[in-house]
Amino acid sequence: MATKKIRMGMIGGGKNAFIGAIHRAAANMDGLIELVCGAFSSNAQTSIESGIALGLPENRIYASYEEMIQKESQLPSDKRMQFVSIVTPNHAHFAPAMLALENGFNVMLEKPMTFSLDEAKQLKKKVEETGLLLGLAHTYSGYPMVKQAKQMIKENVLGKIRKLYVEYPQGWLSELSEKENNKQAAWRTDPTKSGKAGAMGDIGTHAAHLAEYISGLKITKICADINTIVEGRVLDDDGSVLLKFDNGASGVLIATQVAAGEENNLRINIYGEKGGLEWHQQEPNTLLIKWKDAPAQIYRTGNGYLSSVAKHNTRTPGGHPEGYIEAFANIYRNFALTLNAKIDGETPTPEMLDFPTVDDGVRGMAFIDNVIVSGLLEKKWFDFIE
């Protein structure tokens, strides 16, 4: 296995952009990746200032992503970036990702993957043509206890899965924050930047991905109720979706950003023939297993009884909490390990390959499309008659 660090470039994520700092911290955590260049803002001066603050040489700080990809591709193979992390708003995902792939660079991309389903399919086609890697930052799949839950279902510990509930309530958009100089709120509620969905695109895709990732099932049918609660808002800020899965199981997905008082209370319950499991993102180091004929069990991160895949994604001993940035870092680490294996001509292990890919990105965009279409239909509703 190669010992040199994987060289990363970054598009977006300049000063005052919170997600860029999180991506950089996650990428740096395991010593496998180093940031070597960046185009950190659509504003050239902000990009330069951001790069200097990060200690990059000025000749590796670029005024635009086009300039970065062009100039990096002209550098010797042992100097140029090997992948680019794209942490821009949704509307600015596709063009830099496609240009990077066309120039031979692997890609790590924020979610949802693109602005539209058509763009997502184009990226998938390009990934298949080039054989390059495209990773997707579905952070919550990186938690050790999420991976433990997935492994237990894979091993049929709960029996055939029958029912799934996944909820993602937030409260930060309970008011018209986009009109109050809140930049995060402004672009996430703007259809020209976010796409056709608000809450369902921003956090509903996380919930849908988590349900499919843990259960190993695929959503096949939906029935959605989509709402815009806050007066003056353009995109949805609340919704509920009935789900059907490919094994016959049913489910409910709730995503709202107007649950006043909530932070990021993502939680999931999955029930099989023998029992169920429960996981909460705000207490991510605990997995609760419930049995129909025995006491409930509590699984905790960092213990020897966990699966090999959970251990592979754990850094600290039991009782030392691992959280959001560590989950992010697991995605980057597995991506980097897979890329290193490919560079060395080796076959990546299943543990290395355990990160969201372009296929997850396409399903995420399809989820958005289908949910919004379903939400506009009225025929699913019937008057209650007493």
Side-chain angles (χ1 to χ4, degrees), residues 139-218:
T139 317
Y140 307 111
S141 64
Y143 282 106
M145 288 297 93
V146 166
K147 296 187 181 296
Q148 175 68 23
K150 177 181 177 66
Q151 185 64 25
M152 293 178 77
I153 289 178
K154 183 179 180 181
E155 294 175 357
N156 202 37
V157 172
L158 301 181
K160 182 182 177 181
I161 300 305
R162 293 170 165 173
K163 194 74 179 180
L164 298 90
Y165 297 91
V166 58
E167 304 175 59
Y168 200 156
Q170 294 177 335
W172 73 291
L173 289 179
S174 294
E175 298 178 347
L176 202 64
S177 304
E178 56 266 42
K179 303 297 185 182
E180 300 171 356
N181 200 32
N182 183 324
K183 291 182 179 180
Q184 285 292 322
W187 80 257
R188 292 178 192 274
T189 59
D190 182 349
T192 67
K193 295 180 172 63
S194 182
K196 63 178 63 177
M200 278 296 163
D202 190 18
I203 60 176
T205 50
H206 271 310
H209 178 261
L210 191 67
E212 291 195 336
Y213 179 78
I214 295 178
S215 70
L217 304 175
K218 299 294 184 186

Side-chain angles (χ1 to χ4, degrees), residues 8 14 18 44 48 50 56 69 72 90 95 100 109 156 184 218 247 252 258 262 265 271 302 327 329 365 368:
M8 179 181 84
F18 87 97
I48 292 168
S50 300
L56 291 176
I69 291 172
E72 286 293 313
N90 302 355
L109 194 53
N156 202 37
Q184 285 292 322
K218 299 294 184 186
N247 77 331
V252 180
V258 295
E262 292 285 3
N265 197 11
Y271 299 97
M365 294 310 302
I368 291 171

Side-chain angles (χ1 to χ4, degrees), residues 10-38:
M10 179 166 278
I11 296 172
K15 60 180 185 179
N16 301 323
F18 87 97
I19 200 65
I22 288 173
H23 275 264
R24 289 189 293 270
N28 187 60
M29 185 170 290
D30 296 292
L32 298 173
I33 298 168
E34 64 175 330
L35 179 69
V36 298
C37 64

Side-chain angles (χ1 to χ4, degrees), residues 253-382:
L253 183 153
I254 297 172
T256 183
Q257 293 175 314
V258 295
E262 292 285 3
E263 296 175 345
N264 282 279
N265 197 11
L266 173 63
R267 51 191 184 266
I268 187 167
N269 291 73
I270 300 179
Y271 299 97
E273 297 168 313
K274 304 175 185 177
L277 61 80
E278 181 177 332
W279 179 82
H280 297 249
Q281 199 265 156
Q282 292 186 170
E283 179 45 63
N285 299 286
T286 297
L287 175 66
L288 182 63
I289 307 296
K290 303 175 182 179
W291 302 108
K292 65 178 182 179
D293 54 4
Q297 295 177 313
I298 296 175
Y299 284 66
R300 293 279 294 168
T301 302
N303 285 287
Y305 51 74
L306 299 178
S307 65
S308 61
V309 67
K311 292 176 182 177
H312 172 77
N313 291 278
T314 301
R315 294 173 178 79
T316 59
H320 295 77
E322 298 198 21
Y324 180 70
I325 295 181
E326 288 86 351
F328 241 115
N330 285 334
I331 293 172
Y332 269 97
R333 181 177 64 170
N334 293 340
F335 180 88
L337 289 172
T338 297
L339 184 52
N340 249 335
K342 290 188 66 176
I343 291 169
D344 290 348
E346 299 174 358
T347 301
T349 67
E351 289 81 5
M352 295 176 185
L353 292 167
D354 184 17
F355 60 88
T357 68
V358 69
D359 292 324
D360 298 283
V362 171
R363 286 198 63 79
M365 294 310 302
F367 172 80
I368 291 171
D369 265 24
N370 283 277
V371 160
I372 297 303
V373 169
S374 176
L376 293 172
L377 298 175
E378 291 292 338
K379 65 180 181 181
K380 58 183 174 291
W381 294 110
F382 297 88

Side-chain angles (χ1 to χ4, degrees), residues 34-51:
E34 64 175 330
L35 179 69
V36 298
C37 64
F40 298 102
S41 173
S42 56
N43 180 292
Q45 186 59 35
T46 300
S47 180
I48 292 168
E49 292 173 0
S50 300

